[in-house]
Amino acid sequence: MIRVLLADDQALVRAGFGALLDAQPDVEVAGEAADGEEALRRVRELRPDVVLMDIRMPALDGLAATRRITGDAGLGDVKVIMLTTFELDEYVFEAIRAGASGFLVKDTEPEELVRAVRAVVGGDALLSPGVTRRLIAEFAARSKEPAAAGALARLTEREREVMALVGIGLSNDEIARRLVVSPLTAKTHVSRTMVKLGARDRAQLVVLAYESGLVRPGWLG
């Protein structure tokens, strides 16, 4: 079973998401929280697989709570999906840097929410390629100068190539077609690259691709 913690200051939102997720045969709602401080306590107590975290909450906002969760080595297996009212909320980019696995708008289709929960647990891309590219384009426009690329020395030439393709928003299937390999091989390359760089998930790999200078703004097409 995939165990989910719902963190949102609106009881109606928690109830709606809870009813939807509890109706799935492989998902259960492990608990709820109405603010960031409570979310932190519940995460440490319940150790859920996924936290659906609202960005704007009282006491401690979702961004700060996410930083604390992803910065705690004991919570390394907990995935955070940020919830926002707007598709390109300004805080989303900081949330991705902080280690969130991605984000969803609150009015997303029910099946998309369920798919997203399953996707992050499986280590796959949270967002559709189209939405990912919009996110990356905005992230690139806001990003700072590339950091030193020393970490990339750990990667093989093929892994760098794969990381660059992840960085421009390609899915595993699209990477496989581009490199003329099987989707399983593409997924394996992505997984090995994340392990070598210590990336929690695909979203963080995108950030590293930009911050290392492997991918630069203007490469989207």
Side-chain angles (χ1 to χ4, degrees):
M1 294 290 286
I2 299 172
R3 302 174 68 250
V4 180
L5 176 71
L6 303 175
D8 195 294
D9 61 342
Q10 298 182 44
L12 189 58
V13 171
R14 298 198 306 272
F17 284 169
L20 171 65
L21 294 172
D22 273 333
Q24 308 305 312
D26 58 338
V27 182
E28 68 175 1
V29 176
E32 298 183 9
D35 59 57
E37 290 284 6
E38 185 180 7
L40 277 174
R41 290 195 300 272
R42 298 291 276 166
V43 166
R44 289 168 179 148
E45 172 191 349
L46 300 171
R47 302 299 174 101
D49 299 300
V50 180
V51 181
L52 291 181
M53 180 85 75
D54 187 22
I55 287 182
R56 295 179 176 87
M57 291 187 292
L60 185 72
D61 66 35
L63 181 57
T66 297
R67 282 200 183 99
R68 294 191 190 180
I69 292 170
T70 60
D72 187 332
L75 302 175
D77 292 333
V78 179
K79 305 292 187 181
V80 179
I81 299 175
M82 304 301 299
L83 297 172
T84 178
T85 305
F86 305 103
E87 190 170 87
L88 289 179
D89 188 297
E90 64 183 32
Y91 294 107
V92 166
F93 309 102
E94 291 304 318
I96 297 296
R97 278 196 179 98
S101 295
F103 74 101
L104 289 173
V105 290
K106 287 187 177 181
D107 62 353
T108 191
E109 294 295 323
E111 60 270 19
E112 186 69 10
L113 173 65
V114 175
R115 186 194 69 80
V117 167
R118 291 174 177 145
V120 296
V121 170
D124 294 329
L126 168 61
L127 305 171
S128 66
V131 175
T132 301
R133 291 190 186 103
R134 291 199 297 275
L135 173 64
I136 292 169
E138 187 71 15
F139 174 82
R142 296 163 181 256
S143 64
K144 303 173 184 177
E145 289 297 314
L152 299 185
R154 306 171 197 163
L155 305 181
T156 66
E157 183 176 349
R158 175 47 62 94
E159 287 166 349
R160 288 185 184 217
E161 188 175 12
V162 168
M163 181 177 176
L165 295 175
V166 171
I168 62 173
L170 299 192
S171 67
N172 287 345
D173 287 344
E174 290 172 322
I175 292 171
R177 289 195 292 271
R178 180 76 66 92
L179 300 181
V180 195
V181 298
S182 72
L184 179 59
T185 297
K187 184 175 181 180
T188 299
H189 283 310
V190 172
S191 298
R192 286 177 178 169
T193 301
M194 288 193 294
V195 169
K196 286 185 177 182
L197 297 180
R200 288 170 60 94
D201 49 40
R202 199 182 190 95
Q204 197 168 31
L205 193 61
V206 170
V207 173
L208 292 173
Y210 276 97
E211 292 186 338
S212 68
L214 184 63
V215 177
R216 291 185 172 86
W219 289 18
L220 298 171

